[in-house]
Amino acid sequence: MPSKRACAAIGIDLGGTNLRGAVVENGKLVGEPVYVETPDHPEKIVDALVKLIEDLLDEAQTSGLQRDAICGVGIATAGVVNCDTGEVIGSTGNLPGWAGTKIREVVEARTGLSVHVENDANAAAYGEARVEELKNLHCIVVVTLGTGIGGGIVIDGKLLHGRGWAAGEIGHMSIALDDSRLCTCGLHNCWEAYGSGRGLLATARELLAEKNDEGQDSTLFEVGEAELTTYKVFQEAKAGDLLACAIVRRWHEHITTGIVNLTHILNPDCFVITGGLSQACDLALLKELTVEKALHNIGETVEIRASMLDTNAGLIGAAQSVIDEVGAGVPARR
Ligand code: BMX
Ligand code: ZN
């Protein structure tokens, strides 16, 4: 007789580059995550979402999970999301035209499943905050370093959403005054314009121009504008190129600026650093710089740690949120 399985859900993380989905049960992935390239138009993104859900449902059945054991779909997406309606109400140029998409309404109608939609970094924070080591902490801030900088703030186990669902949009806090960096959101001086992958490349271009004038030598001068990638900068820094090391160091200083600001606002127990670029981040250096720049005793006590769920935090957190919603008796919307 097949054993009774706990409530499972499909989790999807929708980023600017990929859609990643998996079935999640008891906070863990059932099988490997499935990746699809993110299409360039909102309608096509929705089509890709529905197709991915259908593929994952088929895959779940092959691994012995009946369709009725799947209690819903959790979707983590970049952008400001109204979680009550499941609509994207704000979006930067990282996902053009995405604002206004009624994800929940459309996906529920097309799949017949309950859908919960959450901002990607909020979903990651929701997932991380349930991990054994973190679940009893008072305040956790999750920072996602990727195309942009996302954030999720969990206080006593609950996500902070704010009046208009935009709490945690930490990538757009202002960290400069000179208007020299334009963010994809249309504002200048955003943390994201310095600390994201795009920000790192802007810093690289600035330092390359400056050091070229000063006659400094670097392998990066041989790299064309189009070939200059974050990967290339990290690779050259690892190989000991001094200019690449200086760029990476400046990137850490930029990331620290945001962490120090958040430390003074929230005095959190810990920061969890996740996202595609987090592997390239030296957390010990971030901690050292935070102690140096924050008020005495505040920087010392804040913990800066790596993600426990790795790049699956968003989809696990999204799946967990729909499981909790259904478990709490929120009527299934079909
Ligand atoms: C942007 C913003 C945030 C998002 C963050 C990280 C959009 C489309 N995105 O600041 O909502 O959390 O990027 O996104 O408005 P990622 O694409 O880097 O994961
Ligand atoms: Zn911005």
Side-chain angles (χ1 to χ4, degrees):
M1 200 173 128
S3 62
K4 194 174 176 323
R5 300 183 77 157
C7 181
I10 288 174
I12 294 181
D13 195 344
L14 164 57
T17 318
N18 283 312
L19 278 164
R20 176 210 303 255
V23 176
V24 177
E25 192 180 24
N26 298 326
K28 296 208 167 57
L29 265 55
V30 178
E32 290 297 309
V34 179
Y35 295 82
V36 193
E37 210 175 295
T38 307
D40 56 5
H41 190 276
E43 275 171 32
K44 290 194 204 142
I45 299 178
V46 173
D47 288 344
L49 267 173
V50 172
K51 165 91 174 45
L52 182 57
I53 293 165
E54 282 162 357
D55 289 351
L56 287 165
L57 284 173
D58 289 346
E59 202 187 288
Q61 274 193 338
T62 358
S63 70
L65 263 182
Q66 296 308 312
R67 194 181 164 115
D68 60 9
I70 308 270
C71 65
V73 183
I75 300 172
T77 171
V80 179
V81 177
N82 178 330
C83 300
D84 284 344
T85 62
E87 181 182 355
V88 182
I89 55 174
S91 172
T92 67
N94 293 347
L95 275 179
W98 194 227
T101 310
K102 295 178 165 51
I103 306 182
R104 191 181 92 195
E105 191 179 305
V106 181
V107 177
E108 284 189 345
R110 288 177 61 178
T111 63
L113 290 164
S114 290
V115 172
H116 180 88
V117 191
E118 186 58 83
N119 166 268
D120 56 354
N122 280 350
Y126 196 68
E128 298 283 357
R130 293 169 153 262
V131 171
E132 194 58 34
E133 288 90 328
L134 305 185
K135 71 175 191 211
N136 293 320
L137 297 182
H138 167 56
C139 178
I140 300 163
V141 181
V142 170
V143 180
T144 65
L145 300 175
T147 321
I149 294 188
I153 300 164
V154 178
I155 299 178
D156 295 332
K158 281 199 157 154
L159 269 172
L160 186 72
H161 280 116
R163 181 178 185 273
W165 303 97
E169 283 292 327
I170 57 180
H172 308 282
M173 75 170 124
S174 190
I175 66 157
L177 287 172
D178 64 5
D179 287 358
S180 66
R181 298 264 179 113
L182 177 64
C183 182
T184 58
C185 72
L187 297 171
H188 286 91
N189 309 319
C190 295
W191 188 25
E192 178 168 312
Y194 290 84
S196 65
R198 205 188 290 265
L200 173 99
L201 289 178
T203 302
R205 282 190 286 271
E206 268 176 29
L207 282 181
L208 280 166
E210 197 182 295
K211 299 298 172 189
N212 196 19
D213 289 348
E214 291 172 14
Q216 187 174 325
D217 196 26
S218 168
T219 46
L220 289 179
F221 288 123
E222 290 148 32
V223 181
E225 172 81 3
E227 280 80 48
L228 187 67
T229 58
T230 51
Y231 177 74
K232 185 77 191 153
V233 176
F234 294 131
Q235 194 185 34
E236 293 307 321
K238 228 176 175 173
D241 182 274
L242 290 181
L243 186 45
C245 289
I247 295 164
V248 173
R249 164 92 191 183
R250 185 74 61 87
W251 179 59
H252 280 80
E253 288 165 357
H254 287 149
I255 297 171
T256 305
T257 307
I259 288 183
V260 168
N261 288 343
L262 290 162
T263 297
H264 289 126
I265 297 166
L266 294 165
N267 188 196
D269 294 274
C270 85
F271 286 92
V272 177
I273 312 294
T274 182
L277 288 186
S278 59
Q279 307 289 346
C281 209
D282 177 348
L283 300 188
L285 177 59
L286 285 188
K287 171 74 186 183
E288 187 188 316
L289 292 169
T290 301
V291 171
E292 194 182 306
K293 303 279 181 197
L295 279 176
H296 179 58
N297 256 341
I298 297 185
E300 280 87 346
T301 53
V302 72
E303 200 189 342
I304 301 178
R305 58 189 300 161
S307 163
M308 306 291 288
L309 303 175
D310 206 7
T311 41
N312 293 321
L315 73 85
I316 291 178
Q320 200 60 55
S321 61
V322 79
I323 292 172
D324 290 351
E325 198 173 85
V326 173
V330 176
R333 296 172 291 262
R334 281 170 211 269

